[in-house]
Amino acid sequence: APRCCQLAGVMLITKKNRLAILSYLFKEGVIVAEKTTGHTDRNALMLHPDIMGVSTSFCEDGAVKTSPQRVRNLEVIKLMQSLTSKELVTERFAWKHYYWFLKDEGIEYLREYLHIPEDVVPNTLKKSTKPAAPERPGGDRDGERGPPRGDRDGYRRGPPGGEGGYRGFGRGGGAPRPPA
């Protein structure tokens, strides 16, 4: 096949954007991208809300000008599909959003690719520094949830001093029982 036909399915991502996406993935340990539906220009140009890349443009005098710009969402999706095929991330999909989680093999790969020291770990592996939840008032009630019940269970035991037990409304009881 001609070379032009072989490149038809290839997504070219600039090195700066690739490094920005992979750095963000390593820093957070997880990355989310909204699924772009269809092949319209608007969806293809949709930008990722969290990842900043670099845009390069040329001035009239021939100088190269770089400026920070958001990475396209499609670039994030395609790069993560590549990492999924290499089994470096796991992919989940829910409610029109892709979720990719970094595996241990992916951490090692990105550490080598991005030249990150061993002591730096993704945020998903760091211990939380939030204080423990305060103790709830009322103490421990044997694992019960909700407010204290007091004597609310008393009405379920039946009429006071009555035989035959409680017969609540709407339970198909029919006519009253004859006296025994």
Side-chain angles (χ1 to χ4, degrees):
R3 182 143 171 82
C4 63
C5 296
Q6 292 175 352
L7 291 177
V10 174
M11 176 80 187
L12 299 176
I13 303 172
T14 64
K15 186 171 184 177
K16 293 177 182 178
N17 284 354
R18 186 177 340 115
L19 290 175
I21 295 168
L22 294 177
S23 297
Y24 181 85
L25 175 63
F26 187 86
K27 183 180 107 179
E28 297 297 328
V30 63
I31 195 167
V32 180
E34 184 177 352
K35 180 180 180 182
T36 54
T37 56
H39 297 292
T40 63
D41 291 337
R42 181 177 122 6
N43 288 334
L45 297 175
M46 202 163 93
L47 303 177
H48 194 277
D50 298 326
I51 304 173
M52 293 297 289
V54 177
S55 173
T56 305
S57 59
F58 297 96
C59 299
E60 291 178 9
D61 60 356
V64 178
K65 178 183 172 187
T66 59
S67 60
Q69 182 181 348
R70 298 222 178 267
V71 172
R72 290 188 312 163
N73 210 27
L74 187 60
E75 291 177 329
V76 175
I77 292 171
K78 291 301 178 184
L79 185 57
M80 290 299 108
Q81 284 177 350
S82 173
L83 293 180
T84 302
S85 71
K86 295 176 185 177
E87 297 184 359
L88 300 175
V89 296
T90 57
E91 178 182 297
R92 300 276 172 103
F93 183 77
W95 292 82
K96 289 181 62 178
H97 286 79
Y98 292 101
Y99 298 87
W100 291 279
F101 303 94
L102 200 53
K103 290 182 170 181
D104 291 337
E105 299 86 15
I107 293 172
E108 294 305 316
Y109 172 80
L110 290 180
R111 201 172 258 141
E112 182 179 322
Y113 187 84
L114 299 171
H115 308 291
I116 297 174
E118 290 287 324
D119 58 335
V120 179
V121 295
N123 287 343
T124 53
L125 297 179
K126 292 180 181 175
K127 299 290 183 199
S128 178
T129 58
K130 292 193 311 188
E135 189 164 329
R136 298 177 67 192
D140 186 30
R141 295 191 322 252
D142 298 329
E144 287 184 34
R145 295 179 60 174
R149 293 188 177 257
D151 62 343
R152 285 180 50 192
D153 289 332
Y155 76 93
R156 291 190 180 104
R157 293 191 188 108
E163 292 288 327
Y166 176 72
R167 297 178 59 207
F169 277 142
R171 304 289 181 208
R177 293 184 187 153

